[in-house]
Amino acid sequence: MRILTGLQPSGKLHVGNYFGAMEPAVRLQNEGEAFYFIADYHAMTSSQDAAALRANVRELAIDFLACGLDPEKAVFFRQSAVPEVNELAWLLSTVCPMSLLEKCHSYKDKIANGISPNHALFAYPALMAADILLYDSNKVPVGKDQKQHLEVTRDLAVKLNETYGEHTVLLPEPIIREDTAVIIGLDGRKMSKSYNNTLPIFGEEKPLKKLVMRIVTDSTPVEDPKPVEGSTILALYKLFASPEDYATMVSQHEQGGTGYGDLKKRVAEAYWDFFAPMRARREAILADPGYVDDVLAKGAARAREEAGKVLDRVRAAVGLR
Ligand code: ADP
Ligand code: TRP
């Protein structure tokens, strides 16, 4: 079974990204042949800044490896290291009705927000379909926001097969992570860069712990019981603490006598300790300057080998051979 997913390089990773995307991907690398890539072409649909792109790609590669991606198990590469994906995107475009792309939320949202969309943003789902179909992927784990793009991918796969023969490309299955896993941010809304309510995974101890003190609470006095339902402190603590420590904090909420400041300090400690192994791995990776390039080069070679096979088959089917 081949499992494929892509992550956009878009700056500092936060706790929501970790539990929502990285940790599930790291778990899945044991369940099949994982192909994980950094979606650098996709990132260019919304930002055209060469230095930032270069830095963000490197940062994401380091962070993903630090979080447990094992290059012995998973094929890890940059999307753009396999330029064959553009050829398949083109072939898919030829069977892609305009109306299919016009329906896509990511495109419609930009228009609704008054942003003038570029052609790449419009064509984005066709490129994403190519990412998936180029590797004969069986399973594609994604967040709920990507569900529609997976539907487009399947539509295009069916269309290509109807047009050129039923085994031209393989029909992939999405694995949609449903909303149960939404991690909330410091202000109680979904944790997101766009809300400026995130806890980064990596950074310096003092500023990171200080961020935790910004968790928004009500103004229950120290001695009074505090609401458990809807408590951001508890929701975040649950991610980092053992079940016993979590239960202790729940009863401290119920009993009263502990102030929000003290409770937050415990969240800060647990948060810092939780990411200690990842920080240690990150330090080790940084100490070996060639390591990341080496991993990505090996991953790209392996991915290209696979892409070449699939693309040859598709070229033959469509009449380019
Ligand atoms: P942001 O909202 O900060 O811009 P992205 O949209 O770049 O985050 O998300 C990248 C990945 O992380 C996606 O797969 C998404 O599902 C996951 N993710 C982001 N925020 C959360 C969250 N608060 N809870 C769970 N998963 C999240
Ligand atoms: N569009 C995805 C996102 O923004 C990233 C992505 C690109 C992807 N190509 C993919 C995810 C292929 C899964 C499969 O999160």
Side-chain angles (χ1 to χ4, degrees):
M1 180 176 70
R2 182 163 297 158
I3 305 160
L4 173 136
T5 198
L7 268 97
Q8 284 207 45
S10 49
K12 269 197 183 354
L13 281 178
H14 56 69
V15 167
N17 300 140
Y18 178 79
F19 289 102
M22 320 281 270
E23 196 265 339
V26 167
R27 242 182 310 120
L28 275 173
Q29 71 188 352
N30 299 311
E31 287 175 31
E33 189 188 11
F35 274 55
Y36 294 155
F37 67 91
I38 300 174
D40 48 5
Y41 283 144
H42 280 277
M44 297 179 74
T45 60
S46 51
S47 159
Q48 296 86 32
D49 178 337
L53 180 65
R54 219 171 272 126
N56 287 342
V57 166
R58 190 159 186 86
E59 200 73 5
L60 178 57
I62 294 170
D63 290 353
F64 211 159
L65 289 163
C67 286
L69 184 147
D70 179 354
E72 298 297 319
K73 291 183 183 158
V75 178
F76 185 39
F77 59 102
R78 289 175 79 137
Q79 180 183 30
S80 62
V82 190
E84 286 86 348
V85 75
N86 292 304
E87 183 173 342
L88 184 57
W90 179 259
L91 300 178
L92 291 167
S93 292
T94 65
V95 297
C96 181
M98 294 292 280
S99 57
L100 195 60
L101 299 178
E102 280 161 358
K103 277 196 313 210
C104 286
H105 303 307
S106 48
Y107 174 71
K108 286 200 297 193
D109 288 352
K110 294 264 154 125
I111 294 189
N113 288 322
I115 294 164
S116 145
N118 55 40
H119 172 252
L121 187 78
F122 185 66
Y124 177 122
L127 178 62
M128 182 155 160
D131 289 328
I132 295 168
L133 302 175
L134 187 60
Y135 302 100
D136 278 346
S137 311
N138 304 108
K139 301 274 181 191
V140 185
V142 286
K144 229 177 138 189
D145 57 321
Q146 298 296 316
K147 192 173 176 176
Q148 191 182 34
H149 293 151
L150 264 295
E151 287 161 8
V152 171
T153 301
R154 286 174 58 90
D155 280 356
L156 294 182
V158 168
K159 269 206 178 295
L160 203 69
N161 288 346
E162 280 173 358
T163 313
Y164 293 112
E166 70 177 308
H167 300 300
T168 307
V169 288
L170 198 100
L171 202 62
E173 298 286 337
I175 306 177
I176 310 288
R177 298 185 295 268
E178 294 297 342
D179 250 359
T180 47
V182 168
I183 306 299
I184 62 169
L186 298 171
D187 58 358
R189 291 188 290 172
K190 175 186 182 242
M191 188 179 289
S192 171
K193 278 189 297 289
S194 7
Y195 296 150
N196 192 24
N197 65 355
T198 67
L199 286 175
I201 306 180
F202 298 112
E204 294 296 319
E205 180 167 5
K206 264 211 172 128
L208 287 197
K209 285 187 169 173
K210 237 172 120 177
L211 272 180
V212 176
M213 305 316 279
R214 272 182 34 196
I215 293 176
V216 178
T217 58
D218 58 23
S219 48
T220 312
V222 175
E223 58 279 8
D224 288 6
K226 299 174 183 62
V228 167
E229 196 68 30
S231 159
T232 303
I233 291 184
L234 281 173
L236 289 172
Y237 193 58
K238 192 169 190 179
L239 300 170
F240 311 125
S242 68
E244 298 76 40
D245 288 348
Y246 175 71
T248 305
M249 196 182 275
V250 170
S251 51
Q252 282 176 318
H253 270 67
E254 288 164 346
Q255 283 161 10
T258 315
Y260 280 130
D262 287 339
L263 295 170
K264 287 181 191 176
K265 273 193 196 126
R266 297 238 303 285
V267 177
E269 288 298 327
Y271 157 55
W272 182 251
D273 293 346
F274 183 88
F275 288 108
M278 291 75 157
R279 267 196 311 277
R281 256 198 308 265
R282 196 168 192 281
E283 290 305 314
I285 293 167
L286 289 174
D288 184 355
Y291 178 74
V292 174
D293 291 332
D294 196 42
V295 165
L296 290 176
K298 284 200 182 110
R302 173 81 187 82
R304 263 195 114 163
E305 187 187 312
E306 207 50 42
K309 282 188 226 162
V310 175
L311 196 56
D312 277 348
R313 189 181 72 218
V314 179
R315 283 181 183 146
V318 303
L320 288 173
R321 282 272 162 81

